[in-house]
Amino acid sequence: MKKQAQARRRRDRKRRPRSRTGRRTAGFRSRFDAGANAGYAEGVRAGTESFGTVFDGTSIIIPSYNQLGYLKKCLASIQMHTSVPYEIIVVDNASSDGTGAYLQSAGAGGGVRFRVLERNRGFAGAVNVGLMMARGSNLLLLNNDTIVTDRWLDNLLACLHSDPAVGMVGPVTNYISGDQRIEVPYRDERGIAPFARRYNVSDPAKWQPTDRLTGFCLLFRRELFERTGYLDEGFEIGNFEDDDYNIRARLQGYRLLTARDTFIHHFGSVSMKALGSKLQEVNDHNRDVYTAKWSNPHELIQASRLPEADRPARGETAFYPQGIAVRGATETRYWIEAGLRRPIAGETAMPVVRLSQIDVRRWPLGEPIAAEAAEAAWLALPPIWEDGGALYLAENGLRRRLPTAQAAEAWGLRLRRGEPLAPEQLPALGEGLPVIVPARVSERL
């Protein structure tokens, strides 16, 4: 009887209508889900509509790899000492010290946009992701082991915008290679702010031309980025990618300035030092990449700066060859001819060079071309030749120097099979701009 009574009570409970509390809970959950879905849809709509919108301010891009304590100090100093419009973008290289969790929590503050990468893509790779995310009219690369100071960004912006010919500017600091290093009187972090308040007095007389700016703190306009493109991810982990970017900007005729009226503190390559014995291996590899790409870049710059009139329209594309096939982030292939990119209709067997989307867009769009016609044009182009130990190609009545063998390999120029130019034709060729190696970019968020 007892068991039958228990079974009857269970059946009765199943038949009872839900309580008011249960109905209220279910209703609240339904309304919450509907509101969350509507909010997400509105966020997607607003993000889609505002994509590509630029604000009149500075995107501060901070690549990060471990060293969470330093990152927190860096972010706090930016929020304390920056009065002009800015956004902070942190790109974390798959840190293992809790940096990702910190960024995803409220700990980093609501003013920080971030991306946590699935693997360590190095300084250049992380910066490039930040550049893709950036919305500012000015772009600033900043190491995570820095502490910024009073008037730091105001002074750097004044220096950058003093002349359209100024391409990039950087401050001085206590720990860096090259002439951006200065002696400081303080011995611990408490002395940073008082020293910087006295030091950071804007003074155009202290803006010094230089051939090299290091990437620990590097400011440039969006226009320079659109004309120069991304950092070269062929420089793995870190080192030499900033030297490479300096050369690419200077080839276009831009000037570099050290703002010697602006000081920020740098603890000093903390993430790189953490590599230990591997640091020398990374440095040697990147030096080899730099040498293979440029050989003697300073000689190249003196011989072939891009005229200022050509700088806005052509940018780094002026140093790319014609008569090649390229593609960007999409599957569309383009034939580059007469300064235009022509979509290739059909499959092609000729080499296709992978560029970033920002590089591809610099060529104006032309009419489509059949794959057979593009291949025929490519096969008819004269091969490159050597003269006095240097490589050259002929293009539109000019001879263009290839600074290194890698420049020929990167564009597939050794595969050209047309008729070589006769020796008597060579002296009639004018001198064109050199052909440089394009930057390697993963280009994905």
Side-chain angles (χ1 to χ4, degrees):
M1 294 292 295
K2 185 176 181 180
K3 289 183 179 180
Q4 291 174 342
Q6 288 173 340
R8 191 164 49 250
R9 284 195 295 271
R10 283 197 296 270
R11 286 194 302 271
D12 291 343
R13 280 198 296 270
K14 289 180 181 179
R15 291 171 183 154
R16 288 175 194 159
R18 285 185 296 178
S19 68
R20 292 181 181 177
T21 301
R23 288 196 297 273
R24 284 198 298 269
T25 300
F28 171 78
R29 185 169 299 147
S30 176
R31 291 193 300 275
F32 176 84
D33 290 343
N37 291 336
Y40 179 80
E42 174 61 20
V44 170
R45 183 197 63 77
T48 301
E49 290 179 358
S50 66
F51 183 78
T53 301
V54 174
F55 77 97
D56 187 15
T58 302
S59 296
I60 302 171
I61 299 167
I62 305 173
S64 174
Y65 179 62
N66 291 325
Q67 314 305 331
L68 176 57
Y70 288 103
L71 177 62
K72 289 179 178 180
K73 291 179 182 180
C74 179
L75 296 178
S77 71
I78 294 170
Q79 292 160 352
M80 180 179 296
H81 295 297
T82 312
S83 57
V84 293
Y86 71 93
E87 66 172 353
I88 298 174
I89 299 171
V90 178
V91 182
D92 182 64
N93 268 318
S95 293
S96 58
D97 66 345
T99 298
Y102 168 72
L103 292 170
Q104 292 177 33
S105 73
V112 177
R113 298 169 59 214
F114 67 91
R115 173 79 163 87
V116 178
L117 302 180
E118 72 287 350
R119 61 179 178 83
N120 186 350
R121 289 171 54 184
F123 181 87
V127 165
N128 286 345
V129 170
L131 289 170
M132 293 175 209
M133 296 170 63
R135 299 179 299 193
S137 57
N138 306 297
L139 305 167
L140 186 137
L141 316 184
L142 185 67
N143 277 18
N144 66 339
D145 62 343
T146 55
I147 291 179
V148 304
T149 54
D150 278 2
R151 298 183 296 278
W152 74 291
L153 189 51
D154 308 69
N155 289 2
L156 290 175
L157 287 169
C159 181
L160 178 67
H161 292 284
S162 62
D163 188 334
V166 176
M168 300 192 293
V169 302
V172 295
T173 190
N174 57 296
Y175 188 103
I176 205 66
S177 63
D179 62 9
Q180 287 176 264
R181 181 181 178 276
I182 65 169
E183 294 294 332
V184 294
Y186 61 83
R187 293 291 175 265
D188 56 41
E189 291 179 38
R190 291 173 298 179
I192 296 171
F195 170 73
R197 276 195 295 271
R198 297 190 302 270
Y199 191 95
N200 290 0
V201 178
S202 183
D203 184 357
K206 294 182 179 179
W207 299 341
Q208 181 183 43
T210 184
D211 290 341
R212 177 178 183 259
L213 291 169
T214 53
F216 83 101
C217 180
L218 188 61
L219 176 67
F220 46 95
R221 299 180 191 84
R222 176 170 290 276
E223 287 85 350
L224 181 134
F225 163 60
E226 290 172 348
R227 296 166 190 167
T228 309
Y230 295 100
L231 272 62
D232 191 337
E233 294 180 33
F235 298 99
E236 298 175 359
I237 307 300
N239 286 344
F240 287 93
E241 65 285 304
D242 48 1
D243 296 280
D244 176 80
Y245 210 72
N246 285 190
I247 298 301
R248 292 160 60 191
R250 290 177 62 204
L251 271 173
Q252 297 176 63
Y254 286 108
R255 295 164 52 211
L256 313 182
L257 293 181
T258 301
R260 304 198 76 84
D261 58 356
T262 310
F263 170 87
I264 72 170
H265 180 80
H266 186 209
F267 288 100
S269 304
V270 172
S271 295
M272 292 300 293
K273 288 177 181 176
L275 293 172
S277 59
K278 191 180 178 183
L279 175 58
Q280 189 60 50
E281 177 186 336
V282 169
N283 206 56
D284 290 347
H285 171 270
N286 287 354
R287 182 185 290 108
D288 291 344
V289 171
Y290 182 81
T291 302
K293 182 173 182 177
W294 293 112
S295 183
N296 188 341
H298 303 291
E299 178 186 281
L300 198 67
I301 289 168
Q302 294 306 314
S304 55
R305 280 197 183 99
L306 184 64
E308 188 171 349
D310 284 347
R311 194 188 303 151
R314 302 172 74 193
E316 191 167 281
T317 307
F319 299 91
Y320 294 170
Q322 302 282 305
I324 53 170
V326 304
R327 60 166 287 237
T330 69
E331 292 301 314
T332 304
R333 270 70 170 163
Y334 298 96
W335 172 247
I336 306 303
E337 179 180 54
L340 299 175
R341 57 182 166 105
R342 304 179 61 186
I344 298 174
E347 296 298 320
T348 177
M350 65 179 158
V352 178
V353 181
R354 173 73 160 83
L355 301 176
S356 75
Q357 199 68 9
I358 200 168
D359 289 331
V360 171
R361 285 201 303 261
R362 284 191 218 106
W363 284 296
L365 188 62
E367 292 295 321
I369 182 173
E372 296 81 2
E375 284 195 6
W378 177 69
L379 290 170
L381 289 167
I384 62 177
W385 74 93
E386 185 176 341
D387 182 11
L391 294 172
Y392 294 90
L393 66 83
E395 185 179 284
N396 300 327
L398 301 172
R399 73 168 194 165
R400 302 185 62 185
R401 182 180 174 184
L402 304 167
T404 65
Q406 188 179 342
E409 302 299 336
W411 298 105
L413 300 177
R414 292 190 186 275
L415 300 176
R416 290 181 170 179
R417 292 292 181 264
E419 289 294 322
L421 295 181
E424 60 270 17
Q425 293 177 286
L426 300 181
L429 297 175
E431 200 67 36
L433 292 171
V435 174
I436 66 173
V437 179
R440 282 172 278 186
V441 180
S442 298
E443 196 171 17
R444 65 179 185 276
L445 291 173

